[in-house]
C-alpha cells in the first residue's frame, strides 16, 4: 500500500481534505462546503457541527478515491482566531465567533487599556489585540453573555475543535496560539502576565505545542465517525494563514507569499521575531520551531469578488448571474487602471494596514464612461492594491522581496497573478501545494511529525512550480501611479466611514 499523509483544513466556506505521498504529490483532494451566519452587521458565526460534517464528507471522499493508501499521519489546519467555547463536558456553548467578526472593538480597547497601552501590550505579545482575535472575543463573551461565560471551561480554535473530535485531546500549536492575541511569540508560550492582567483563567486555554509535535491519536469515536483506523498520529498542524506559506514553499526571507482567499494575506518568513511597527502587522510563530512569520491580513479579498458577483454580477444579458470566469474575462477587456476607477475593498472593515472595524467599501472615480468590465477590473485591482498596501508596512522592518508565490483561490486567475507581477515588479510563481491551500501545508507538517522529512524546510522542497509570470513594465507603471492615489483614499474617507457608523445608517 502507498504511504500517505492526510491534511484537513477547516476553512470559512468549506473543509478540504487531501492525501499526499512521500514525494508531495497530491493523490486525492475533496472539499465540502458550508455557510456562515451574520445575525447582525459585522457579526459572523458558524456552528462547529458544520465543520465536523464538512470534514467527515471530505475525508470520506478522498478515502473512497484512494482506498489503497496507509495513512502515516494527519495534519490539521483551519481559519484562525475563531472562538469555539466549550463547557466541562466539551459541549459547544454557542456558535463560534469567526476571524472576521467585528463585534469586539470595545473589548480590544479595554484589553489594551488594562495592560497599560499599546506599547505595553506589544512588549508582552509583539501584537495588537486586533478586532477578530480570540482574546477580544473571550472578553466580549464575559461582558455580554455572562451566563454562558460562567459555564466556559475550554477555548479552542476551529482546527483544534476538529482535533478534539478526532482524538479526544484538547491541544493547540504555536501558530494558531499566536493568533489569539494572548501569546508571547518571542517566548513561544502563553503570556501569563497578560492573562493575569485580564483576569482570564489560564486553564481555559489548551496546552500548546510546536506544530510538528504529535498531539494525540485517532481514538475509537473519531475512527468510527471518519472511517479511519484507530491510532493514526495527529500532529499540531497550523493556522491556515501561517501553514499556507509552507505549502507554497515560502520558508526563507526574500520570498513573499500572497494569498487571495476569502481574506487577502501577504506573508514572509522571519529568522527572529522582529519588533512589530505599531502592531499593525502580525508577527506569529511559524510552523517550524526556529522560524517566525510576518504577515498582514486584509479582511477583504476573494470575499469582495464573491460579493461583487452575488450583488452586481447580473451585468450581462438576462437575469443570470455571471460566473467568476466571465467577470474576469470582462475585467481583462478593461485597461490597467480601470480608466481611473478605484474600489476600496473594505466590506467587512479592515485589519491591515488600517485596523478599522468600521471602514467601508467604496467605488471612487465612477463616471458614465465606465462599464461592467471596468467595475470588474477595479474590484480585482482594489484587492491587489490592498496587498501592496500591506507590503509597504513590511518594508518598514526591512522585508524585501525577489519573488511572489501566489496562493488561494484567486491564484487560479492568470489576470490576478499578472496584476501582482506588474504592481510588485517581480516574478509571480504558483506551486502545486499552494493551489491546495492549508490542507497541503498540514499534510507536510504531518510528514515532519512522523519522520518522513527531517524538518519543515526539507518538506518545503517538494513544492513544485506550476506557473510563472513576469511583470509587464508598461502596465506596472500605470498600476504604481494608480496605487499612489489608492493610498490616499482611506485617509480621505475614514471620517465619513465613522460618520456613517455614528449616524446608525448602516444598522
Amino acid at each position: 500500500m502507498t504511504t500517505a499523509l492526510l491534511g484537513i483544513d477547516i476553512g470559512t466556506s468549506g473543509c478540504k481534505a487531501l492525501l499526499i505521498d512521500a514525494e508531495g504529490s497530491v493523490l486525492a483532494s475533496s472539499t465540502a462546503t458550508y455557510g456562515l451566519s451574520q445575525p447582525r452587521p459585522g457579526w459572523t458565526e458558524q456552528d462547529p457541527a458544520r465543520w465536523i460534517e464538512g470534514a467527515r464528507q471530505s475525508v470520506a471522499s478522498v478515502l473512497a478515491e484512494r482506498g489503497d493508501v496507509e495513512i502515516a499521519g494527519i495534519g490539521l489546519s483551519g481559519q484562525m482566531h475563531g472562538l469555539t467555547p466549550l463547557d466541562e463536558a466539551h459541549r459547544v456553548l454557542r456558535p463560534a465567533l469567526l476571524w472576521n467578526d467585528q463585534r469586539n472593538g470595545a473589548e480590544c480597547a479595554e484589553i489594551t487599556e488594562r495592560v497599560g497601552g499599546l506599547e505595553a501590550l506589544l512588549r508582552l505579545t509583539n501584537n495588537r489585540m486586533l478586532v477578530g482575535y480570540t482574546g477580544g472575543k473571550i472578553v466580549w463573551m464575559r461582558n455580554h453573555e455572562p451566563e454562558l461565560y460562567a459555564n466556559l471551561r475550554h477555548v479552542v480554535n476551529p482546527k483544534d475543535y476538529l482535533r478534539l473530535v478526532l482524538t479526544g485531546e484538547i491541544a493547540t500549536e504555536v501558530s494558531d496560539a499566536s493568533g489569539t492575541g494572548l501569546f508571547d511569540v518571542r517566548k513561544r508560550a502563553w503570556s501569563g502576565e497578560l492573562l493575569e492582567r485580564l483576569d482570564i483563567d489560564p486553564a481555559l486555554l489548551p496546552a500548546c505545542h510546536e506544530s510538528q509535535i504529535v498531539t494525540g491519536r485517532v481514538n475509537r469515536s473519531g475512527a468510527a465517525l471518519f472511517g479511519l483506523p484507530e491510532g493514526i498520529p495527529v500532529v499540531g498542524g497550523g493556522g491556515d494563514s501561517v501553514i499556507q506559506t509552507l505549502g507554497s514553499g515560502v520558508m526563507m526571507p526574500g520570498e513573499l507569499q500572497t494569498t487571495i482567499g476569502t481574506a487577502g494575506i501577504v506573508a514572509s518568513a522571519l529568522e527572529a521575531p522582529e519588533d512589530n511597527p505599531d502592531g499593525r502587522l502580525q508577527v506569529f510563530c511559524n510552523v517550524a520551531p526556529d522560524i517566525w512569520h510576518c504577515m498582514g491580513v486584509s479582511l477583504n479579498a476573494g470575499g469582495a469578488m464573491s460579493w461583487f458577483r452575488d450583488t452586481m454580477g447580473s451585468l450581462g444579458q438576462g437575469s443570470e448571474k455571471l460566473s467568476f470566469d466571465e467577470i474576469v474575462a470582462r475585467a481583462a477587456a478593461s485597461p490597467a487602471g480601470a480608466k481611473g476607477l478605484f474600489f476600496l475593498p473594505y466590506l467587512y472593515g479592515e485589519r491591515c494596514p488600517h485596523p478599522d472595524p468600521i471602514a467601508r467599501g467604496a467605488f471612487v472615480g465612477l463616471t458614465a464612461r465606465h462599464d461592467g468590465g471596468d467595475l470588474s477590473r477595479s474590484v480585482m485591482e482594489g484587492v491587489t492594491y490592498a496587498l501592496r498596501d500591506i507590503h509597504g508596512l513590511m518594508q518598514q522592518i526591512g522585508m524585501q522581496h525577489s519573488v511572489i508565490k501566489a496562493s488561494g483561490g484567486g491564484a487560479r486567475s492568470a489576470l490576478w497573478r499578472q496584476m501582482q507581477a506588474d504592481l510588485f515588479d517581480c516574478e509571480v510563481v504558483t506551486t502545486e501545494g499552494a493551489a491546495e491551500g492549508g490542507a497541503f501545508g498540514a499534510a507536510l507538517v504531518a510528514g515532519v511529525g512522523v519522520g518522513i522529512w527531517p524538518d519543515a524546510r526539507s518538506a518545503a522542497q517538494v513544492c513544485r512550480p506550476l506557473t510563472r509570470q513576469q511583470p509587464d513594465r508598461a502596465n506596472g507603471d500605470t498600476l504604481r501611479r494608480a496605487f499612489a492615489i489608492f493610498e490616499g483614499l482611506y485617509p480621505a474617507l475614514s471620517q465619513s466611514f465613522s460618520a456613517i457608523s455614528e449616524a446608525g445608517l448602516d444598522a
Side-chain angles (χ1 to χ4, degrees), residues 342 344 346 353-354 385-386 388-393 395-396 423 479-493:
F342 293 86
L344 272 67
Y346 311 138
H354 312 297
Y385 294 148
R388 178 61 184 84
D389 219 3
I390 291 169
H391 188 248
L393 266 186
Q395 290 175 313
Q396 292 182 20
L423 181 59
L479 290 180
R480 282 187 287 277
R481 291 199 310 272
F483 174 68
I485 297 170
F486 178 89
E487 286 183 290
L489 294 179
Y490 170 80
L493 291 172

PDB file of all heavy atoms in Angstrom, residues 342 344 346 353-354 385-386 388-393 395-396 423 479-493:
ATOM      1  N   PHE A 342     -11.539  53.300  -9.004  1.00  0.00           N
ATOM      2  CA  PHE A 342     -10.934  52.637  -7.847  1.00  0.00           C
ATOM      3  C   PHE A 342     -12.015  51.952  -7.015  1.00  0.00           C
ATOM      4  O   PHE A 342     -13.143  52.450  -6.918  1.00  0.00           O
ATOM      5  CB  PHE A 342     -10.197  53.644  -6.957  1.00  0.00           C
ATOM      6  CG  PHE A 342      -8.984  54.245  -7.605  1.00  0.00           C
ATOM      7  CD1 PHE A 342      -9.095  55.356  -8.419  1.00  0.00           C
ATOM      8  CD2 PHE A 342      -7.731  53.692  -7.409  1.00  0.00           C
ATOM      9  CE1 PHE A 342      -7.992  55.915  -9.026  1.00  0.00           C
ATOM     10  CE2 PHE A 342      -6.606  54.245  -8.008  1.00  0.00           C
ATOM     11  CZ  PHE A 342      -6.736  55.356  -8.824  1.00  0.00           C
ATOM     12  N   LEU A 344     -12.353  50.445  -3.084  1.00  0.00           N
ATOM     13  CA  LEU A 344     -11.850  50.155  -1.744  1.00  0.00           C
ATOM     14  C   LEU A 344     -12.571  48.906  -1.252  1.00  0.00           C
ATOM     15  O   LEU A 344     -13.799  48.899  -1.122  1.00  0.00           O
ATOM     16  CB  LEU A 344     -12.120  51.324  -0.783  1.00  0.00           C
ATOM     17  CG  LEU A 344     -11.043  52.416  -0.746  1.00  0.00           C
ATOM     18  CD1 LEU A 344     -11.008  53.157  -2.062  1.00  0.00           C
ATOM     19  CD2 LEU A 344     -11.294  53.380   0.401  1.00  0.00           C
ATOM     20  N   TYR A 346     -13.103  47.324   1.530  1.00  0.00           N
ATOM     21  CA  TYR A 346     -13.260  47.150   2.977  1.00  0.00           C
ATOM     22  C   TYR A 346     -14.703  46.812   3.358  1.00  0.00           C
ATOM     23  O   TYR A 346     -15.349  47.503   4.151  1.00  0.00           O
ATOM     24  CB  TYR A 346     -12.803  48.415   3.707  1.00  0.00           C
ATOM     25  CG  TYR A 346     -11.449  48.927   3.266  1.00  0.00           C
ATOM     26  CD1 TYR A 346     -11.232  50.294   3.084  1.00  0.00           C
ATOM     27  CD2 TYR A 346     -10.386  48.058   3.028  1.00  0.00           C
ATOM     28  CE1 TYR A 346      -9.994  50.780   2.677  1.00  0.00           C
ATOM     29  CE2 TYR A 346      -9.152  48.536   2.625  1.00  0.00           C
ATOM     30  CZ  TYR A 346      -8.960  49.891   2.450  1.00  0.00           C
ATOM     31  OH  TYR A 346      -7.735  50.367   2.042  1.00  0.00           O
ATOM     32  N   PRO A 353      -3.455  47.577   6.282  1.00  0.00           N
ATOM     33  CA  PRO A 353      -2.689  48.362   7.258  1.00  0.00           C
ATOM     34  C   PRO A 353      -3.552  49.315   8.080  1.00  0.00           C
ATOM     35  O   PRO A 353      -3.006  50.122   8.829  1.00  0.00           O
ATOM     36  CB  PRO A 353      -1.717  49.149   6.373  1.00  0.00           C
ATOM     37  CG  PRO A 353      -2.496  49.397   5.124  1.00  0.00           C
ATOM     38  CD  PRO A 353      -3.354  48.168   4.927  1.00  0.00           C
ATOM     39  N   HIS A 354      -4.872  49.217   7.938  1.00  0.00           N
ATOM     40  CA  HIS A 354      -5.794  50.115   8.642  1.00  0.00           C
ATOM     41  C   HIS A 354      -6.654  49.297   9.603  1.00  0.00           C
ATOM     42  O   HIS A 354      -7.681  48.747   9.194  1.00  0.00           O
ATOM     43  CB  HIS A 354      -6.685  50.858   7.644  1.00  0.00           C
ATOM     44  CG  HIS A 354      -5.954  51.479   6.508  1.00  0.00           C
ATOM     45  ND1 HIS A 354      -5.027  52.484   6.682  1.00  0.00           N
ATOM     46  CD2 HIS A 354      -5.992  51.229   5.169  1.00  0.00           C
ATOM     47  CE1 HIS A 354      -4.535  52.833   5.506  1.00  0.00           C
ATOM     48  NE2 HIS A 354      -5.096  52.088   4.578  1.00  0.00           N
ATOM     49  N   TYR A 385      -4.182  46.247  -4.814  1.00  0.00           N
ATOM     50  CA  TYR A 385      -3.643  47.432  -4.133  1.00  0.00           C
ATOM     51  C   TYR A 385      -3.599  47.216  -2.627  1.00  0.00           C
ATOM     52  O   TYR A 385      -2.658  47.658  -1.950  1.00  0.00           O
ATOM     53  CB  TYR A 385      -4.497  48.664  -4.439  1.00  0.00           C
ATOM     54  CG  TYR A 385      -4.500  49.126  -5.869  1.00  0.00           C
ATOM     55  CD1 TYR A 385      -5.645  49.721  -6.411  1.00  0.00           C
ATOM     56  CD2 TYR A 385      -3.387  48.990  -6.686  1.00  0.00           C
ATOM     57  CE1 TYR A 385      -5.674  50.170  -7.723  1.00  0.00           C
ATOM     58  CE2 TYR A 385      -3.402  49.436  -8.001  1.00  0.00           C
ATOM     59  CZ  TYR A 385      -4.550  50.021  -8.516  1.00  0.00           C
ATOM     60  OH  TYR A 385      -4.568  50.458  -9.813  1.00  0.00           O
ATOM     61  N   ALA A 386      -4.628  46.571  -2.079  1.00  0.00           N
ATOM     62  CA  ALA A 386      -4.655  46.329  -0.636  1.00  0.00           C
ATOM     63  C   ALA A 386      -3.487  45.434  -0.217  1.00  0.00           C
ATOM     64  O   ALA A 386      -2.887  45.632   0.852  1.00  0.00           O
ATOM     65  CB  ALA A 386      -5.991  45.701  -0.230  1.00  0.00           C
ATOM     66  N   ARG A 388      -0.576  45.310  -1.791  1.00  0.00           N
ATOM     67  CA  ARG A 388       0.621  46.161  -1.879  1.00  0.00           C
ATOM     68  C   ARG A 388       0.692  47.129  -0.709  1.00  0.00           C
ATOM     69  O   ARG A 388       1.792  47.444  -0.211  1.00  0.00           O
ATOM     70  CB  ARG A 388       0.601  46.909  -3.212  1.00  0.00           C
ATOM     71  CG  ARG A 388       1.777  47.867  -3.411  1.00  0.00           C
ATOM     72  CD  ARG A 388       3.098  47.157  -3.404  1.00  0.00           C
ATOM     73  NE  ARG A 388       4.206  48.095  -3.508  1.00  0.00           N
ATOM     74  CZ  ARG A 388       4.744  48.747  -2.473  1.00  0.00           C
ATOM     75  NH1 ARG A 388       4.267  48.551  -1.237  1.00  0.00           N
ATOM     76  NH2 ARG A 388       5.744  49.585  -2.663  1.00  0.00           N
ATOM     77  N   ASP A 389      -0.445  47.610  -0.238  1.00  0.00           N
ATOM     78  CA  ASP A 389      -0.507  48.491   0.927  1.00  0.00           C
ATOM     79  C   ASP A 389       0.084  47.799   2.153  1.00  0.00           C
ATOM     80  O   ASP A 389       0.822  48.402   2.945  1.00  0.00           O
ATOM     81  CB  ASP A 389      -1.970  48.862   1.192  1.00  0.00           C
ATOM     82  CG  ASP A 389      -2.148  50.309   1.629  1.00  0.00           C
ATOM     83  OD1 ASP A 389      -1.147  51.052   1.666  1.00  0.00           O
ATOM     84  OD2 ASP A 389      -3.290  50.695   1.926  1.00  0.00           O
ATOM     85  N   ILE A 390      -0.228  46.525   2.307  1.00  0.00           N
ATOM     86  CA  ILE A 390       0.317  45.739   3.419  1.00  0.00           C
ATOM     87  C   ILE A 390       1.832  45.625   3.302  1.00  0.00           C
ATOM     88  O   ILE A 390       2.570  45.799   4.280  1.00  0.00           O
ATOM     89  CB  ILE A 390      -0.327  44.342   3.446  1.00  0.00           C
ATOM     90  CG1 ILE A 390      -1.807  44.432   3.849  1.00  0.00           C
ATOM     91  CG2 ILE A 390       0.424  43.418   4.410  1.00  0.00           C
ATOM     92  CD1 ILE A 390      -2.572  43.144   3.636  1.00  0.00           C
ATOM     93  N   HIS A 391       2.305  45.349   2.096  1.00  0.00           N
ATOM     94  CA  HIS A 391       3.748  45.160   1.929  1.00  0.00           C
ATOM     95  C   HIS A 391       4.525  46.438   2.233  1.00  0.00           C
ATOM     96  O   HIS A 391       5.683  46.378   2.667  1.00  0.00           O
ATOM     97  CB  HIS A 391       4.068  44.671   0.520  1.00  0.00           C
ATOM     98  CG  HIS A 391       5.502  44.275   0.359  1.00  0.00           C
ATOM     99  ND1 HIS A 391       6.391  44.965  -0.430  1.00  0.00           N
ATOM    100  CD2 HIS A 391       6.218  43.274   0.922  1.00  0.00           C
ATOM    101  CE1 HIS A 391       7.585  44.404  -0.354  1.00  0.00           C
ATOM    102  NE2 HIS A 391       7.508  43.379   0.455  1.00  0.00           N
ATOM    103  N   GLY A 392       3.897  47.585   2.043  1.00  0.00           N
ATOM    104  CA  GLY A 392       4.572  48.827   2.425  1.00  0.00           C
ATOM    105  C   GLY A 392       4.940  48.862   3.892  1.00  0.00           C
ATOM    106  O   GLY A 392       6.006  49.366   4.271  1.00  0.00           O
ATOM    107  N   LEU A 393       4.066  48.328   4.750  1.00  0.00           N
ATOM    108  CA  LEU A 393       4.394  48.217   6.175  1.00  0.00           C
ATOM    109  C   LEU A 393       5.541  47.247   6.401  1.00  0.00           C
ATOM    110  O   LEU A 393       6.426  47.491   7.225  1.00  0.00           O
ATOM    111  CB  LEU A 393       3.170  47.727   6.957  1.00  0.00           C
ATOM    112  CG  LEU A 393       2.241  48.735   7.606  1.00  0.00           C
ATOM    113  CD1 LEU A 393       1.209  47.992   8.446  1.00  0.00           C
ATOM    114  CD2 LEU A 393       3.004  49.711   8.483  1.00  0.00           C
ATOM    115  N   GLN A 395       7.953  46.551   4.522  1.00  0.00           N
ATOM    116  CA  GLN A 395       9.229  47.153   4.127  1.00  0.00           C
ATOM    117  C   GLN A 395       9.810  48.015   5.245  1.00  0.00           C
ATOM    118  O   GLN A 395      11.022  48.213   5.311  1.00  0.00           O
ATOM    119  CB  GLN A 395       9.046  47.970   2.854  1.00  0.00           C
ATOM    120  CG  GLN A 395       8.798  47.118   1.615  1.00  0.00           C
ATOM    121  CD  GLN A 395       8.504  47.954   0.383  1.00  0.00           C
ATOM    122  OE1 GLN A 395       7.702  48.884   0.428  1.00  0.00           O
ATOM    123  NE2 GLN A 395       9.163  47.628  -0.727  1.00  0.00           N
ATOM    124  N   GLN A 396       8.963  48.522   6.126  1.00  0.00           N
ATOM    125  CA  GLN A 396       9.444  49.353   7.235  1.00  0.00           C
ATOM    126  C   GLN A 396      10.305  48.570   8.220  1.00  0.00           C
ATOM    127  O   GLN A 396      11.079  49.169   8.968  1.00  0.00           O
ATOM    128  CB  GLN A 396       8.260  49.989   7.968  1.00  0.00           C
ATOM    129  CG  GLN A 396       7.507  51.020   7.138  1.00  0.00           C
ATOM    130  CD  GLN A 396       6.369  51.657   7.911  1.00  0.00           C
ATOM    131  OE1 GLN A 396       6.341  51.636   9.148  1.00  0.00           O
ATOM    132  NE2 GLN A 396       5.407  52.220   7.192  1.00  0.00           N
ATOM    133  N   LEU A 423       2.336  45.142 -10.470  1.00  0.00           N
ATOM    134  CA  LEU A 423       2.375  46.123  -9.393  1.00  0.00           C
ATOM    135  C   LEU A 423       3.604  45.960  -8.507  1.00  0.00           C
ATOM    136  O   LEU A 423       4.246  46.944  -8.134  1.00  0.00           O
ATOM    137  CB  LEU A 423       1.100  46.033  -8.554  1.00  0.00           C
ATOM    138  CG  LEU A 423       0.975  47.008  -7.386  1.00  0.00           C
ATOM    139  CD1 LEU A 423       1.035  48.454  -7.857  1.00  0.00           C
ATOM    140  CD2 LEU A 423      -0.317  46.753  -6.613  1.00  0.00           C
ATOM    141  N   LEU A 479      -0.121  50.918 -12.905  1.00  0.00           N
ATOM    142  CA  LEU A 479      -0.663  50.467 -11.622  1.00  0.00           C
ATOM    143  C   LEU A 479       0.035  51.148 -10.452  1.00  0.00           C
ATOM    144  O   LEU A 479      -0.603  51.446  -9.432  1.00  0.00           O
ATOM    145  CB  LEU A 479      -0.543  48.949 -11.506  1.00  0.00           C
ATOM    146  CG  LEU A 479      -1.453  48.132 -12.428  1.00  0.00           C
ATOM    147  CD1 LEU A 479      -1.237  46.643 -12.213  1.00  0.00           C
ATOM    148  CD2 LEU A 479      -2.915  48.486 -12.207  1.00  0.00           C
ATOM    149  N   ARG A 480       1.330  51.421 -10.577  1.00  0.00           N
ATOM    150  CA  ARG A 480       2.017  52.084  -9.466  1.00  0.00           C
ATOM    151  C   ARG A 480       1.570  53.544  -9.347  1.00  0.00           C
ATOM    152  O   ARG A 480       1.483  54.075  -8.227  1.00  0.00           O
ATOM    153  CB  ARG A 480       3.533  51.960  -9.642  1.00  0.00           C
ATOM    154  CG  ARG A 480       4.036  50.564  -9.238  1.00  0.00           C
ATOM    155  CD  ARG A 480       5.548  50.479  -9.254  1.00  0.00           C
ATOM    156  NE  ARG A 480       6.078  50.446 -10.627  1.00  0.00           N
ATOM    157  CZ  ARG A 480       6.165  49.355 -11.364  1.00  0.00           C
ATOM    158  NH1 ARG A 480       5.739  48.189 -10.903  1.00  0.00           N
ATOM    159  NH2 ARG A 480       6.681  49.397 -12.598  1.00  0.00           N
ATOM    160  N   ARG A 481       1.273  54.206 -10.462  1.00  0.00           N
ATOM    161  CA  ARG A 481       0.720  55.554 -10.380  1.00  0.00           C
ATOM    162  C   ARG A 481      -0.672  55.521  -9.727  1.00  0.00           C
ATOM    163  O   ARG A 481      -1.007  56.372  -8.903  1.00  0.00           O
ATOM    164  CB  ARG A 481       0.633  56.187 -11.767  1.00  0.00           C
ATOM    165  CG  ARG A 481       1.960  56.526 -12.394  1.00  0.00           C
ATOM    166  CD  ARG A 481       1.821  57.562 -13.523  1.00  0.00           C
ATOM    167  NE  ARG A 481       0.790  57.219 -14.484  1.00  0.00           N
ATOM    168  CZ  ARG A 481       0.999  56.453 -15.565  1.00  0.00           C
ATOM    169  NH1 ARG A 481       2.202  55.950 -15.792  1.00  0.00           N
ATOM    170  NH2 ARG A 481       0.014  56.216 -16.405  1.00  0.00           N
ATOM    171  N   ALA A 482      -1.453  54.523 -10.113  1.00  0.00           N
ATOM    172  CA  ALA A 482      -2.786  54.398  -9.540  1.00  0.00           C
ATOM    173  C   ALA A 482      -2.703  54.045  -8.052  1.00  0.00           C
ATOM    174  O   ALA A 482      -3.496  54.542  -7.243  1.00  0.00           O
ATOM    175  CB  ALA A 482      -3.577  53.327 -10.289  1.00  0.00           C
ATOM    176  N   PHE A 483      -1.740  53.212  -7.685  1.00  0.00           N
ATOM    177  CA  PHE A 483      -1.596  52.828  -6.275  1.00  0.00           C
ATOM    178  C   PHE A 483      -1.289  54.034  -5.398  1.00  0.00           C
ATOM    179  O   PHE A 483      -1.761  54.125  -4.256  1.00  0.00           O
ATOM    180  CB  PHE A 483      -0.510  51.760  -6.116  1.00  0.00           C
ATOM    181  CG  PHE A 483      -0.209  51.423  -4.681  1.00  0.00           C
ATOM    182  CD1 PHE A 483      -1.139  50.779  -3.889  1.00  0.00           C
ATOM    183  CD2 PHE A 483       1.014  51.785  -4.124  1.00  0.00           C
ATOM    184  CE1 PHE A 483      -0.869  50.477  -2.563  1.00  0.00           C
ATOM    185  CE2 PHE A 483       1.294  51.490  -2.803  1.00  0.00           C
ATOM    186  CZ  PHE A 483       0.356  50.833  -2.019  1.00  0.00           C
ATOM    187  N   ALA A 484      -0.502  54.968  -5.917  1.00  0.00           N
ATOM    188  CA  ALA A 484      -0.199  56.183  -5.144  1.00  0.00           C
ATOM    189  C   ALA A 484      -1.477  56.950  -4.816  1.00  0.00           C
ATOM    190  O   ALA A 484      -1.591  57.568  -3.745  1.00  0.00           O
ATOM    191  CB  ALA A 484       0.777  57.064  -5.922  1.00  0.00           C
ATOM    192  N   ILE A 485      -2.454  56.900  -5.711  1.00  0.00           N
ATOM    193  CA  ILE A 485      -3.754  57.529  -5.438  1.00  0.00           C
ATOM    194  C   ILE A 485      -4.543  56.689  -4.437  1.00  0.00           C
ATOM    195  O   ILE A 485      -5.149  57.214  -3.493  1.00  0.00           O
ATOM    196  CB  ILE A 485      -4.542  57.699  -6.748  1.00  0.00           C
ATOM    197  CG1 ILE A 485      -3.793  58.637  -7.698  1.00  0.00           C
ATOM    198  CG2 ILE A 485      -5.961  58.216  -6.481  1.00  0.00           C
ATOM    199  CD1 ILE A 485      -4.376  58.682  -9.104  1.00  0.00           C
ATOM    200  N   PHE A 486      -4.528  55.365  -4.638  1.00  0.00           N
ATOM    201  CA  PHE A 486      -5.257  54.455  -3.741  1.00  0.00           C
ATOM    202  C   PHE A 486      -4.828  54.654  -2.284  1.00  0.00           C
ATOM    203  O   PHE A 486      -5.676  54.642  -1.379  1.00  0.00           O
ATOM    204  CB  PHE A 486      -5.014  53.009  -4.175  1.00  0.00           C
ATOM    205  CG  PHE A 486      -5.665  51.973  -3.292  1.00  0.00           C
ATOM    206  CD1 PHE A 486      -6.961  51.537  -3.543  1.00  0.00           C
ATOM    207  CD2 PHE A 486      -4.986  51.422  -2.211  1.00  0.00           C
ATOM    208  CE1 PHE A 486      -7.566  50.587  -2.735  1.00  0.00           C
ATOM    209  CE2 PHE A 486      -5.574  50.467  -1.399  1.00  0.00           C
ATOM    210  CZ  PHE A 486      -6.868  50.049  -1.663  1.00  0.00           C
ATOM    211  N   GLU A 487      -3.525  54.850  -2.066  1.00  0.00           N
ATOM    212  CA  GLU A 487      -3.030  55.009  -0.698  1.00  0.00           C
ATOM    213  C   GLU A 487      -3.697  56.173   0.031  1.00  0.00           C
ATOM    214  O   GLU A 487      -3.805  56.162   1.258  1.00  0.00           O
ATOM    215  CB  GLU A 487      -1.512  55.224  -0.714  1.00  0.00           C
ATOM    216  CG  GLU A 487      -0.689  53.998  -1.003  1.00  0.00           C
ATOM    217  CD  GLU A 487       0.790  54.303  -0.912  1.00  0.00           C
ATOM    218  OE1 GLU A 487       1.304  55.023  -1.792  1.00  0.00           O
ATOM    219  OE2 GLU A 487       1.439  53.827   0.047  1.00  0.00           O
ATOM    220  N   GLY A 488      -4.121  57.182  -0.703  1.00  0.00           N
ATOM    221  CA  GLY A 488      -4.725  58.345  -0.067  1.00  0.00           C
ATOM    222  C   GLY A 488      -6.227  58.252   0.136  1.00  0.00           C
ATOM    223  O   GLY A 488      -6.811  59.110   0.808  1.00  0.00           O
ATOM    224  N   LEU A 489      -6.859  57.192  -0.400  1.00  0.00           N
ATOM    225  CA  LEU A 489      -8.318  57.146  -0.356  1.00  0.00           C
ATOM    226  C   LEU A 489      -8.852  56.817   1.032  1.00  0.00           C
ATOM    227  O   LEU A 489      -9.830  57.425   1.490  1.00  0.00           O
ATOM    228  CB  LEU A 489      -8.843  56.139  -1.388  1.00  0.00           C
ATOM    229  CG  LEU A 489      -8.599  56.527  -2.846  1.00  0.00           C
ATOM    230  CD1 LEU A 489      -9.145  55.447  -3.782  1.00  0.00           C
ATOM    231  CD2 LEU A 489      -9.244  57.875  -3.161  1.00  0.00           C
ATOM    232  N   TYR A 490      -8.248  55.845   1.716  1.00  0.00           N
ATOM    233  CA  TYR A 490      -8.742  55.537   3.067  1.00  0.00           C
ATOM    234  C   TYR A 490      -8.598  56.738   4.001  1.00  0.00           C
ATOM    235  O   TYR A 490      -9.565  57.102   4.696  1.00  0.00           O
ATOM    236  CB  TYR A 490      -8.052  54.308   3.661  1.00  0.00           C
ATOM    237  CG  TYR A 490      -8.387  54.130   5.123  1.00  0.00           C
ATOM    238  CD1 TYR A 490      -9.596  53.557   5.510  1.00  0.00           C
ATOM    239  CD2 TYR A 490      -7.519  54.595   6.119  1.00  0.00           C
ATOM    240  CE1 TYR A 490      -9.929  53.440   6.852  1.00  0.00           C
ATOM    241  CE2 TYR A 490      -7.851  54.474   7.460  1.00  0.00           C
ATOM    242  CZ  TYR A 490      -9.053  53.899   7.814  1.00  0.00           C
ATOM    243  OH  TYR A 490      -9.383  53.791   9.147  1.00  0.00           O
ATOM    244  N   PRO A 491      -7.427  57.393   4.088  1.00  0.00           N
ATOM    245  CA  PRO A 491      -7.341  58.579   4.953  1.00  0.00           C
ATOM    246  C   PRO A 491      -8.370  59.646   4.600  1.00  0.00           C
ATOM    247  O   PRO A 491      -8.919  60.319   5.483  1.00  0.00           O
ATOM    248  CB  PRO A 491      -5.905  59.075   4.730  1.00  0.00           C
ATOM    249  CG  PRO A 491      -5.146  57.869   4.305  1.00  0.00           C
ATOM    250  CD  PRO A 491      -6.118  57.062   3.488  1.00  0.00           C
ATOM    251  N   ALA A 492      -8.660  59.792   3.307  1.00  0.00           N
ATOM    252  CA  ALA A 492      -9.609  60.822   2.894  1.00  0.00           C
ATOM    253  C   ALA A 492     -11.037  60.480   3.290  1.00  0.00           C
ATOM    254  O   ALA A 492     -11.855  61.377   3.537  1.00  0.00           O
ATOM    255  CB  ALA A 492      -9.522  61.025   1.388  1.00  0.00           C
ATOM    256  N   LEU A 493     -11.360  59.196   3.367  1.00  0.00           N
ATOM    257  CA  LEU A 493     -12.739  58.772   3.597  1.00  0.00           C
ATOM    258  C   LEU A 493     -13.007  58.266   5.011  1.00  0.00           C
ATOM    259  O   LEU A 493     -14.164  58.000   5.354  1.00  0.00           O
ATOM    260  CB  LEU A 493     -13.112  57.665   2.599  1.00  0.00           C
ATOM    261  CG  LEU A 493     -13.229  58.099   1.131  1.00  0.00           C
ATOM    262  CD1 LEU A 493     -13.396  56.881   0.228  1.00  0.00           C
ATOM    263  CD2 LEU A 493     -14.393  59.055   0.946  1.00  0.00           C
TER     264      LEU A 493
END
